[in-house]
Amino acid sequence: MAVAGRKTDIGPPHYENFLPPVIKRNYGKWAYHEIPEPGVLVHVSESGEKLFTVRAGTPRILSIKTIRTFADLADKYADGYLRFTSRNNVEFLLSDEGKVFPLKTELGTLGYPVGGTGNAISAIVHTQGWVHCHSAASDASGVVKSLMDALYPRFTSMDLPAKLRVAFACCLNMCGAVHCSDIAVLGVHTRPPRIDHSELPKICEVPTLISSCPTGAIRPTTVDGKPSVEVEDGQCMYCGNCYTVCPAMKINNPKTDGISIWVGGKVSNARHEPMFSKLAIPFLPNNPPRWTEVVDAVVNIVDVYAKHARKHERMGEWIERIGWPRFFKLTGIPFTKYHIDDFTHAGETFRRSVHLKS
Amino acid sequence: MSEKKYETPLLDELEKGPWPSFIREIKQEAERPMVRDLLGVLERSYEEHIGHWKHGGLVGVMGYGGGVIGRYSDLPEEFPDVSEFHTFRVNQPAGWFYTSGALRDLCDIWDKHGSGLTNMHGSTGDIVFLGGKTTSIEPVFADLTEKGWDLGGSGSDMRTPSCCAGPARCEWANYDTLNACHEITQAYQDELHRPAFPYKFKLKFAGCPNDCVASVARADMSIIGTWKDEIQIDQEQVRAYAARGMDIEREIVELCPCDCISWDGQAMEIADGECVKCMHCINHMPKALRPGKERGAAILIGAKAPIVGGALLSSVFVPFLEMTPPYSDLRELIEAIWDFWGEHGKNRERVGEFIQRVGLGKFLEQIGLDPVPEMIAHPRSNPYIFFDDEIVAGAEA
């Protein structure tokens, strides 16, 4: 219920307040667009009017100093109009083509790379990690920064077979919903929660805690005369849902938390239907500040894909054409028992034919 | 004011390299004690390989149940200035369009009350103000609403809806994603601010099957633009693509997933009755091909990340819906889902999981939709069918 005398439930400001005149004049009347160079889009209206977009990568965590810098750049080059993309890029919306080059130059000087369009690796969408989250199995921003430093030329050029979407989530909650990405980098816990029996009765509701477990691994027990729970270790797959409902179920573990890598997902309907990403590498160590093992693994997958996929083939389409055995062979990634699903409906992922390449 | 400063050799490493550095962003605000302590505790995490944030905790503005996420350090004695480090979700404008003035308003508010650090944007789409004290919550809210902004969703409520750039900057928008997103957000302010559902409910508006907001993977309800009639072809422009060197046979015809395009070097023909509207040909020949004119959206339902019962993609719920204001059909559908799931869903059960538990057939019955074959990849292969009495009533008699 709204509280009297306060301004509440006003919702977001109307988007029309923020659209440049060239968009207002051509709203819903765009005829086509082209990508004249990496990081630059030109949308052409049925009337012939043009809108130029300059896209630059950001680190997602932005200080207000940087946002004010973007506002100043928008004033200087784009009559004050800008937007952000679903992948945390900033886009300046220009009606004057002559200002594209000077804006690109100034963004470059400031250290914000122009790119992320077409057959490129756009910015990596990611989660909060150690900067801000309670259940993170890894940092997020640091891994992403390290990855994008290595993948930088793939952001500023467009020479991949198709677009390649990389996403990072620091635990299975996937605030970054990485599960349908060409390459998903996912923090994983690998051990059952450690139970703080002295804290648990004070801060958690035991029945809610028990019902939070998707595999029924949590059972009631009594420890030192107080109600608590025990975990059937063999049934736990470390999802951390119990930790989210009860902080005494400590899932984070500095020795055993790490990172997994998944490939071949997509959300677009173009050609192949949307697909989940599938496991490529079950576990790599958390190795801050540069996560070298993770960076090397991702760069290897990108390079092998870039070399072998056909034009327009997304990662998952390429793998489907060549088959998973060849994917593992070409990338040199070891195939292990962890790659074979053993959860609900696992059998649907087994090969049930003799369609086997030699 | 504390003058302490931490050595951060591990974090400093992340100021190097060509990609813009989040550490540089954080350090830009390090004159604030809160941000100095953030750097200190983050360096500790990099040393120890573990985060130092406690979970949750109920904080919020008066009259709302969502929009602010409580966050506390588990090392409050060592890092007192981040002992409270709450997140504010501020509902973004549809399509993430801004003016420089609007951004400066937001910066001024966060400059005055918080860490000066943001995410542009969070995963669901909100503007995220990262790190404020409990005492700052009401003042931030007062200043936001004064300037015409409001909080977004969190917890078991309708989460902040989001949309693609739509007709504002895309020729492929099959409906007005910005308008639909804005109107639905405004229509359900109560559901957005006051959690009353079994769990979160996300809505994402994508203008075409390219799905630039990843709605099929991330939204409990995915509203994906599509069309019913023929793809519009400009044959002159098709020939121009060929003249510029595009191998139309190889790049377009052979990659069409339903084999419905032909090209004889002069004219392109599309058997639209066989077309599944995947967007491949349109994506690569935007000057020559455009979606049809009879436009609307397919409504899909049930996507989610793995927690709790496994990841799901959305699946078809209504194959085609006209999307014109005031979106009465869409709203009827949304409200019917909320009624049934709201009453029978379990705690922390997303609607996709709920449908798996009760069965899509039964769910459709309760919502009042007829089953159609577009909803499935194939009919069931398992013969364990739960029959209603009616189907065998004739046989019994």
Side-chain angles (χ1 to χ4, degrees):
Chain A
M1 195 198 303
V3 179
R6 283 159 58 87
K7 221 186 241 190
T8 65
D9 301 279
I10 59 173
H14 201 283
Y15 55 92
E16 275 177 7
N17 299 334
F18 306 130
L19 301 178
V22 61
I23 285 185
K24 282 190 179 159
R25 284 193 299 272
N26 297 290
Y27 195 87
K29 295 178 193 158
W30 299 108
Y32 66 90
H33 79 277
E34 292 180 300
I35 310 175
E37 55 180 314
V40 179
L41 307 171
V42 53
H43 284 79
V44 182
S45 160
E46 285 161 4
S47 71
E49 255 194 302
K50 291 181 178 177
L51 168 71
F52 297 89
T53 299
V54 175
R55 179 182 293 177
T58 83
R60 185 174 188 258
I61 292 179
L62 292 182
S63 72
I64 53 175
K65 285 197 177 67
T66 295
I67 298 174
R68 284 172 174 148
T69 301
F70 289 161
D72 292 343
L73 289 174
D75 281 345
K76 191 168 168 188
Y77 297 104
D79 305 314
Y81 295 99
L82 68 169
R83 72 179 290 270
F84 290 84
T85 73
S86 59
R87 305 193 80 84
N88 309 111
N89 299 303
V90 61
E91 290 185 334
F92 298 89
L93 305 167
L94 289 70
S95 43
D96 180 354
E97 185 173 9
K99 290 180 177 166
V100 170
F101 182 74
L103 171 57
K104 280 182 57 183
T105 309
E106 187 158 357
L107 282 165
T109 310
L110 292 168
Y112 296 97
V114 175
T117 51
N119 294 341
I121 294 181
S122 189
I124 299 176
V125 291
H126 65 96
T127 54
Q128 303 288 19
W130 291 335
V131 173
H132 208 233
C133 186
H134 68 282
S135 63
S138 167
D139 190 31
S141 313
V143 188
V144 166
K145 160 73 174 150
S146 302
L147 282 166
M148 285 310 291
D149 279 342
L151 297 169
Y152 189 87
R154 304 280 189 193
F155 182 87
T156 54
S157 64
M158 304 196 291
D159 52 10
L160 284 167
K163 61 180 166 186
L164 200 155
R165 295 285 177 260
V166 187
F168 180 95
C170 47
C171 83
L172 271 59
N173 277 301
M174 292 191 191
C175 304
V178 302
H179 56 296
C180 297
S181 307
D182 293 288
I183 299 180
V185 185
L186 175 64
V188 286
H189 304 295
T190 64
R191 293 289 184 277
R194 293 163 295 162
I195 306 166
D196 185 337
H197 291 291
S198 60
E199 278 293 300
L200 194 143
K202 286 185 260 172
I203 55 176
C204 306
E205 220 179 83
V206 170
T208 311
L209 171 55
I210 289 170
S211 66
S212 74
C213 179
T215 63
I218 302 176
R219 287 160 202 178
T221 186
T222 305
V223 178
D224 298 333
K226 286 181 186 156
S228 191
V229 297
E230 60 187 0
V231 174
E232 184 63 48
D233 284 1
Q235 258 168 268
C236 174
M237 53 17 170
Y238 338 114
C239 73
N241 198 44
C242 59
Y243 179 59
T244 296
V245 305
C246 172
M249 306 292 286
K250 301 199 179 306
I251 192 73
N252 299 333
N253 189 328
K255 291 197 176 69
T256 55
D257 289 346
I259 285 178
S260 60
I261 295 180
W262 307 68
V263 297
K266 70 196 276 281
V267 295
S268 157
N269 284 270
R271 298 168 308 283
H272 197 292
E273 292 179 352
M275 290 188 268
F276 283 123
S277 312
K278 281 104 184 172
L279 183 65
I281 302 177
F283 187 84
L284 292 168
N286 245 337
N287 196 1
R290 278 290 173 180
W291 282 271
T292 316
E293 296 85 351
V294 175
V295 172
D296 290 349
V298 170
V299 168
N300 173 47
I301 294 169
V302 171
D303 288 348
V304 173
Y305 159 76
K307 187 175 168 196
H308 292 274
R310 291 177 185 161
K311 194 172 180 184
H312 303 312
E313 241 173 7
R314 294 282 293 267
M315 177 78 70
E317 294 170 310
W318 165 61
I319 296 171
E320 205 158 277
R321 176 170 60 79
I322 64 170
W324 286 98
R326 189 150 303 161
F327 169 81
F328 284 102
K329 192 174 171 187
L330 286 172
T331 55
I333 296 169
F335 185 80
T336 69
K337 70 173 183 180
Y338 300 112
H339 291 89
I340 304 173
D341 196 357
D342 51 10
F343 202 54
T344 319
H345 307 305
E348 289 174 13
T349 67
F350 300 167
R351 184 183 301 278
R352 295 131 147 183
S353 78
V354 287
H355 290 192
L356 299 164
K357 290 181 183 173
S358 44
Chain B
M1 189 183 285
S2 150
E3 288 305 315
K4 65 181 174 287
K5 188 177 179 307
Y6 303 97
E7 293 302 317
T8 55
L10 294 172
L11 299 184
D12 296 349
E13 187 58 36
L14 290 166
E15 286 188 274
K16 301 170 187 165
W19 187 253
S21 166
F22 71 104
I23 295 298
R24 179 173 162 249
E25 295 293 323
I26 297 174
K27 285 189 177 178
Q28 281 184 340
E29 299 298 329
E31 77 274 13
R32 299 169 202 266
M34 177 185 272
V35 176
R36 278 203 291 270
D37 270 7
L38 175 66
L39 285 165
V41 77
L42 188 57
E43 179 76 10
R44 180 72 62 83
S45 287
Y46 271 59
E47 289 163 2
E48 297 177 351
H49 298 200
I50 192 163
H52 283 293
W53 301 103
K54 285 201 288 197
H55 193 295
L58 288 174
V59 292
V61 301
M62 216 188 344
Y64 283 12
V68 186
I69 296 95
R71 192 65 68 195
Y72 300 88
S73 169
D74 71 357
L75 300 169
E77 283 81 26
E78 278 183 82
F79 303 101
D81 289 307
V82 287
S83 60
E84 297 164 1
F85 197 69
H86 310 317
T87 301
F88 297 71
R89 292 187 183 153
V90 181
N91 199 145
Q92 81 286 2
W96 298 294
F97 286 89
Y98 296 92
T99 55
S100 52
L103 284 182
R104 288 192 188 102
D105 282 348
L106 290 166
C107 289
D108 291 347
I109 294 168
W110 197 226
D111 197 354
K112 190 169 144 196
H113 298 292
S115 71
L117 298 174
T118 74
N119 291 146
M120 296 298 280
H121 296 78
S123 294
T124 300
D126 301 277
I127 301 154
V128 172
F129 285 175
L130 209 57
K133 292 190 182 303
T134 309
T135 50
S136 75
I137 293 174
E138 282 295 334
V140 168
F141 183 65
D143 284 2
L144 280 172
T145 51
E146 181 58 33
K147 290 283 183 185
W149 300 87
D150 201 346
L151 295 178
S154 68
S156 297
D157 61 12
M158 179 181 84
R159 295 297 183 87
T160 310
S162 75
C163 67
C164 66
R169 205 207 46 195
C170 186
E171 64 272 28
W172 299 326
N174 285 279
Y175 68 97
D176 189 340
T177 53
L178 288 84
N179 187 260
C181 181
H182 184 77
E183 292 304 322
I184 292 295
T185 306
Q186 291 292 0
Y188 297 117
Q189 283 291 297
D190 193 33
E191 288 80 358
L192 178 67
H193 295 306
R194 296 170 193 89
F197 293 154
Y199 203 14
K200 63 184 96 169
F201 190 93
K202 297 186 178 184
L203 288 141
K204 289 189 189 293
F205 297 85
C208 84
N210 284 322
D211 199 357
C212 288
V213 283
S215 72
V216 77
R218 311 183 60 170
D220 298 274
M221 184 179 265
S222 321
I223 298 108
I224 303 177
T226 186
W227 65 96
K228 282 180 105 166
D229 54 343
E230 299 82 38
I231 290 177
Q232 304 177 63
I233 308 178
D234 180 338
Q235 297 292 354
E236 200 176 316
Q237 289 294 344
V238 175
R239 287 189 287 274
Y241 274 106
R244 284 196 295 272
M246 178 182 273
D247 184 343
I248 291 180
E249 189 63 32
R250 182 92 205 228
E251 289 190 45
I252 307 296
V253 175
E254 288 177 14
L255 292 181
C256 171
C258 32
D259 194 20
C260 67
I261 306 177
S262 60
W263 161 247
D264 64 4
Q266 284 306 308
M268 172 174 278
E269 272 186 49
I270 300 178
D272 285 279
E274 303 307 309
C275 170
V276 295
K277 293 111 185 167
C278 86
M279 293 296 292
H280 172 76
C281 60
I282 296 174
N283 286 343
H284 295 287
M285 307 180 82
K287 289 172 100 165
L289 305 178
R290 300 178 70 181
K293 291 177 174 169
E294 198 183 335
R295 297 178 175 192
I299 314 298
L300 286 74
I301 187 166
K304 60 180 289 293
I307 306 296
V308 180
L312 294 170
L313 289 167
S314 282
S315 67
V316 172
F317 201 51
V318 179
F320 189 85
L321 195 67
E322 276 181 31
M323 287 290 291
T324 42
Y327 311 103
S328 312
D329 291 349
L330 181 67
R331 290 177 58 174
E332 235 173 74
L333 209 56
I334 291 171
E335 287 164 24
I337 291 167
W338 285 350
D339 277 351
F340 183 47
W341 168 63
E343 191 169 337
H344 300 282
K346 292 199 272 195
N347 184 35
R348 287 172 64 77
E349 185 176 47
R350 295 281 286 271
V351 74
E353 289 163 325
F354 175 68
I355 290 171
Q356 299 231 320
R357 179 163 64 82
V358 303
L360 179 58
K362 185 169 179 193
F363 186 77
L364 292 170
E365 254 175 15
Q366 294 293 323
I367 302 300
L369 282 181
D370 290 331
V372 293
E374 282 81 0
M375 293 171 176
I376 54 165
H378 58 77
R380 68 162 73 222
S381 54
N382 91 71
Y384 300 141
I385 306 173
F386 294 104
F387 285 107
D388 289 340
D389 290 343
E390 297 86 76
I391 196 168
V392 290
E396 274 179 331

